[in-house]
Amino acid sequence: MSSKPSPALELKGALARLRNEVSSLDAASRGQISDPARRAAEKELAGVIARAEKLQRRLDPTAHPAFVLDPGKPTVVARLIALVLLAQLRVPLADTQKSYGSGIYALYYRGPFVHYAPISGSETPIYVGKAEPERPTAETPASQGIRLSRRLQDHKGTIQAVESEGTLLLADFEQRSLVIQSGWQSAAEEYLIGLFGPIWNKETKICYGFGKHGDAAETRANKRSPWDTLHPGRRWAHHAKLSDAHPQHEIVEGLRQHFHNTRVYQNLAEIVDIFMGDFRQFKP
């Protein structure tokens, strides 16, 4: 019965195999390795290096912290901004008032639409977004402009536009928003999308299209977004020349699978536990 090779031997084998592959590619192309081949080799090498570093930490009798806090690292700042966003009160989207500032926000659903039942009333947002400042170098809320409140007002109008069809009601939506220093919007938004997988964000690739502002259907060969298929009412989205990007039954099935595979956070304590775990240097 053959025994499994040690992790160190496996790494040596992987490194030797990768070295031979790169040498073969280099010889075959006379020094001009193609970009796809180079990227594939770099990716594999990065994986080998990561495994070697992990093995090195296991062999060291002195414990290594899981991470070193670097307040200047974008991923660390993004987590902190997200945590501060969750400290804000949830308020009705209908009550959004004009105010200065740019930043990030999250929309929450608490209505009866059957396909959104798993997140209705939960702490998992249905949509996460950002509002860029009027000037990238803006240092005060006033110089950032009214970008954040205007974006929320836009979303308010979008939901009002489909109320008559009966699938959504503005009264069933709440929001959290946070004015932040210019330049940190994208990092915070990316982290929140990765954590929650909001079903209306295009990155989740299920019910995207909520954030669109309009299409010239007469001049563009476009498709109706899944959001507009599920929630008819925006006049420009239901022009006769537009066809559905995906049929409704396919969107509904995508939602069902998403909720089956993605964690839905019912309360803030669950989310705070995730944040605290991410910042814990020594795991139990």
XYZ file of all heavy atoms in Angstrom, residues 78-89 104 176-180 275:
149
model
N -11.872 49.003 3.763
C -13.189 48.638 3.230
C -14.021 47.925 4.288
O -15.220 48.195 4.431
C -13.031 47.759 2.000
N -13.409 47.008 5.024
C -14.129 46.300 6.084
C -14.591 47.265 7.172
O -15.720 47.183 7.672
C -13.240 45.219 6.696
C -13.097 43.967 5.843
C -12.185 42.968 6.552
N -12.199 41.667 5.922
C -11.417 41.318 4.926
N -10.560 42.204 4.430
N -11.482 40.102 4.409
N -13.708 48.188 7.557
C -14.055 49.145 8.609
C -15.201 50.060 8.156
O -16.125 50.353 8.930
C -12.833 49.978 8.984
C -11.704 49.217 9.684
C -10.474 50.106 9.858
C -12.169 48.702 11.046
N -15.157 50.503 6.907
C -16.230 51.358 6.383
C -17.544 50.586 6.374
O -18.603 51.115 6.748
C -15.882 51.855 4.968
C -14.692 52.818 5.018
C -17.093 52.548 4.324
C -14.168 53.219 3.652
N -17.487 49.330 5.942
C -18.699 48.501 5.915
C -19.279 48.338 7.311
O -20.502 48.391 7.501
C -18.379 47.137 5.311
N -18.423 48.164 8.301
C -18.890 48.016 9.677
C -19.551 49.301 10.168
O -20.592 49.257 10.841
C -17.714 47.646 10.581
C -18.047 47.303 12.035
C -19.027 46.139 12.105
C -16.777 46.971 12.816
N -18.978 50.444 9.804
C -19.573 51.723 10.203
C -20.911 51.937 9.497
O -21.858 52.475 10.075
C -18.611 52.893 9.915
C -19.265 54.228 10.262
C -17.319 52.722 10.713
N -21.026 51.498 8.244
C -22.306 51.594 7.544
C -23.389 50.837 8.316
O -24.511 51.323 8.483
C -22.184 51.033 6.126
C -23.511 50.902 5.351
C -24.091 52.278 5.044
C -23.314 50.105 4.064
N -23.054 49.649 8.806
C -24.035 48.840 9.524
C -24.396 49.443 10.875
O -25.413 49.064 11.461
C -23.494 47.419 9.713
C -23.291 46.626 8.422
C -22.696 45.261 8.725
C -24.593 46.475 7.658
N -23.588 50.372 11.355
C -23.912 51.055 12.614
C -24.967 52.137 12.406
O -25.542 52.649 13.381
C -22.648 51.669 13.219
N -25.246 52.492 11.151
C -26.236 53.527 10.862
C -27.652 52.958 10.997
O -27.879 51.771 10.808
C -26.034 54.094 9.452
C -24.617 54.528 9.146
C -24.030 55.434 10.204
O -24.609 56.474 10.542
N -22.883 55.054 10.746
N -28.579 53.815 11.320
C -29.967 53.394 11.457
C -30.576 53.085 10.091
O -30.276 53.765 9.102
C -30.789 54.487 12.140
C -30.422 54.818 13.589
C -31.261 55.998 14.077
C -30.626 53.608 14.498
N -21.431 55.433 0.376
C -22.002 54.125 0.075
C -23.367 53.988 0.739
O -23.712 54.731 1.663
C -21.084 52.974 0.531
C -20.795 53.090 2.034
C -19.800 52.958 -0.281
C -20.076 51.890 2.603
N -29.694 52.187 4.484
C -28.613 52.707 5.321
C -27.661 53.423 4.385
O -27.368 52.925 3.293
C -27.839 51.591 6.029
C -28.493 51.008 7.260
C -27.476 50.120 7.998
N -28.057 49.581 9.209
C -28.517 48.335 9.331
N -28.477 47.520 8.282
N -29.014 47.914 10.468
N -27.144 54.571 4.782
C -26.187 55.277 3.937
C -25.100 55.883 4.814
O -25.314 56.139 6.006
C -26.882 56.362 3.110
O -27.587 57.263 3.947
N -23.948 56.097 4.198
C -22.796 56.598 4.946
C -21.967 57.520 4.063
O -21.512 57.123 2.986
C -21.932 55.423 5.421
C -20.685 55.761 6.226
C -21.068 56.329 7.595
C -19.805 54.518 6.398
N -21.786 58.749 4.504
C -20.897 59.686 3.821
C -19.469 59.346 4.227
O -19.166 59.222 5.420
C -21.229 61.138 4.205
C -20.221 62.104 3.587
C -22.644 61.500 3.758
N -18.591 59.167 3.251
C -17.214 58.784 3.546
C -16.234 59.660 2.773
O -16.609 60.362 1.825
C -16.946 57.299 3.205
C -17.163 57.023 1.715
C -17.830 56.388 4.033
C -16.845 55.593 1.309
N -17.255 40.056 10.843
C -16.251 41.121 10.889
C -15.208 40.839 11.959
O -14.004 40.971 11.727
C -16.917 42.468 11.170
C -17.586 43.082 9.982
C -18.959 43.238 9.946
C -16.848 43.519 8.899
C -19.589 43.803 8.854
C -17.468 44.087 7.796
C -18.839 44.228 7.775
